Amino acid sequence: QVELVESGGGLVQAGESLRLSCTVSGFRLHFEDYAMAWFRQAPGKEREGVAYMNYMSGSNREYADSVVGRFTISRDNPRKTVYLQMRKMKPEDTAIYYCAARLAQGGDYYTTGYTYWGQGTQVTVSS
């Protein structure tokens, strides 16, 4: 049974930082065989992709325009964990953040087709 468990959410003030973690268990293959991503969903809005990362070392990454230069996605394969470091946070970053995974079929990152999802962690940024 595959599980993705997010942690690290909370309430911060604008301009502050927060780091989310997502630890995975139950993958049929090695953790490094999976591309990873973070998505978020704000109240009344559709879910949107925030950051994407390819498999293995995670050297190929892509970010939503709204977070470029402020957020960083990374992975620790031995710990089966993916991170989202968020800096200079803004009230519009307030959302439930979800970790997602999909089996990679190449070295690129993926923006769609994610198979496995976490339960989400709430991030609230006050002004």
Side-chain angles (χ1 to χ4, degrees):
Q1 180 178 351
V2 175
E3 277 195 312
L4 282 68
V5 180
E6 300 100 336
S7 61
L11 172 64
V12 297
Q13 293 188 337
E16 293 184 340
S17 299
L18 203 60
R19 189 178 80 157
L20 304 182
S21 301
C22 172
T23 300
V24 174
S25 62
F27 276 165
R28 179 170 59 88
L29 301 178
H30 296 298
F31 174 72
E32 49 265 42
D33 293 324
Y34 293 80
M36 303 297 296
W38 287 94
F39 291 77
R40 67 185 181 187
Q41 187 166 20
K45 295 187 177 181
E46 294 187 354
R47 186 174 62 195
E48 63 172 350
V50 175
Y52 312 96
M53 180 171 58
N54 68 331
Y55 71 160
M56 295 300 176
S57 66
S59 58
N60 196 356
R61 309 172 192 182
E62 180 69 7
Y63 298 92
D65 290 342
S66 59
V67 307
V68 168
R70 299 189 299 120
F71 289 13
T72 302
I73 186 172
S74 62
R75 64 191 298 158
D76 184 335
N77 290 334
R79 288 187 167 87
K80 300 181 181 180
T81 300
V82 61
Y83 302 99
L84 184 68
Q85 178 68 55
M86 305 183 288
R87 299 181 178 88
K88 301 178 181 179
M89 298 186 71
K90 304 175 181 180
E92 50 264 43
D93 294 324
T94 295
I96 299 175
Y97 283 71
Y98 299 91
C99 171
R102 60 163 289 171
L103 191 61
Q105 295 173 305
D108 208 352
Y109 59 85
Y110 299 91
T111 59
T112 62
Y114 284 84
T115 309
Y116 305 106
W117 294 83
Q119 81 290 349
T121 185
Q122 176 69 49
V123 172
T124 304
V125 185
S126 63
S127 57

